Amino acid sequence: MLGPYVADYGKNGLRKAIIQAKDYAHKASGKFLFAIIKPADTSVYSDLVNTLDEMEINDVQSYAIANISVEDISLLKDRGIY
């Protein structure tokens, strides 16, 4: 699974994507989700805080924060999100 890219933090945005990713990870491997959070250059601090809140709310216990790559930005632009 490539990973869902979402543009908002509402119940139909990030939360829904996390739930879908958790379900996919568990069904595909029997294991738990490991999320990689890559804040964009345009992100503000509250975006990261909101994302970390969603990790807690959805009981995602394994995650990392990493730098966004040029390839990630290109993919986001292709999807009209960046």
Side-chain angles (χ1 to χ4, degrees):
M1 181 173 166
L2 177 58
Y5 290 90
V6 295
D8 68 68
Y9 297 95
K11 68 180 180 178
N12 291 317
L14 182 58
R15 186 168 300 171
K16 183 177 178 181
I18 292 170
I19 291 168
Q20 289 173 343
K22 281 180 65 173
D23 289 345
Y24 177 85
H26 188 69
K27 288 177 185 174
S29 68
K31 298 185 181 193
F32 297 100
L33 175 68
F34 182 90
I36 301 172
I37 302 164
K38 297 182 178 184
D41 298 336
T42 57
S43 295
V44 294
Y45 184 73
S46 62
D47 293 339
L48 180 58
V49 170
N50 289 335
T51 301
L52 295 174
D53 284 346
E54 287 298 330
M55 294 294 120
E56 180 69 24
I57 290 166
N58 290 287
D59 196 32
V60 177
Q61 298 177 4
S62 299
Y63 57 87
I65 301 170
N67 292 325
I68 193 165
S69 69
V70 174
E71 293 83 10
D72 294 325
I73 292 171
S74 178
L75 179 62
L76 292 171
K77 285 182 177 178
D78 288 347
R79 293 184 180 197
I81 299 173
Y82 192 88

